Amino acid sequence: HVQLMESGGGSVQRGGSLRLSCAASGYDYKAYCMGWFRQAPGREREGVATILPTVGSTWYADSVKGRFTISQDNAGNTLYLQMASLKPEDTAMYYCAAGGTLFCEGDVFTANKYNHWGQGTQVTVSS
């Protein structure tokens, strides 16, 4: 039984930083894509950053490049998203996703390619 548990969300001012964590249990498919998505009210879920755990290759949405960093712990059981220079438009519920495509082939930011999701953690950035 796969469980993904996000933590680390909160409220910050513009320019602030947050670090999100995603603890994965019952999951050991490191050749499959994992990542972070976000969804703001009234908007579709969008990909933010993804990683191929076996080799550490990463992909970022243009909107977060240079500000967000996705990483994993050595055991590959915890996924992180370090967010810096946060903007009000980053406000959203952030979700951890796992069980994406093998070797992250194809569009890594297509939500329906991921089989496992966490419950989400809210990030609010005020101006």
Side-chain angles (χ1 to χ4, degrees):
H1 177 62
V2 177
Q3 283 191 313
L4 303 176
M5 182 69 70
E6 302 97 336
S7 61
S11 296
V12 297
Q13 291 189 327
R14 178 192 291 269
S17 299
L18 283 173
R19 189 196 198 198
L20 305 184
S21 299
C22 171
S25 59
Y27 182 82
D28 191 24
Y29 303 104
K30 294 181 174 57
Y32 292 81
C33 226
M34 294 185 73
W36 291 93
F37 286 72
R38 66 186 181 187
Q39 188 166 19
R43 301 189 65 177
E44 292 188 357
R45 191 168 296 191
E46 63 172 353
V48 174
T50 61
I51 188 169
L52 178 58
T54 50
V55 295
S57 299
T58 57
W59 293 262
Y60 295 94
D62 288 342
S63 59
V64 306
K65 279 180 182 176
R67 300 188 298 122
F68 290 11
T69 303
I70 188 171
S71 63
Q72 59 185 343
D73 67 350
N74 289 335
N77 295 326
T78 303
L79 196 64
Y80 303 101
L81 185 68
Q82 180 68 48
M83 305 186 294
S85 301
L86 283 162
K87 305 174 182 180
E89 50 264 45
D90 294 319
T91 295
M93 186 71 79
Y94 282 71
Y95 297 92
C96 176
T101 58
L102 181 63
F103 303 131
C104 288
E105 290 185 347
D107 184 355
V108 298
F109 293 136
T110 298
N112 63 17
K113 291 183 180 292
Y114 292 80
N115 293 320
H116 308 289
W117 293 87
Q119 293 299 307
T121 185
Q122 178 67 36
V123 171
T124 302
V125 185
S126 61
S127 56

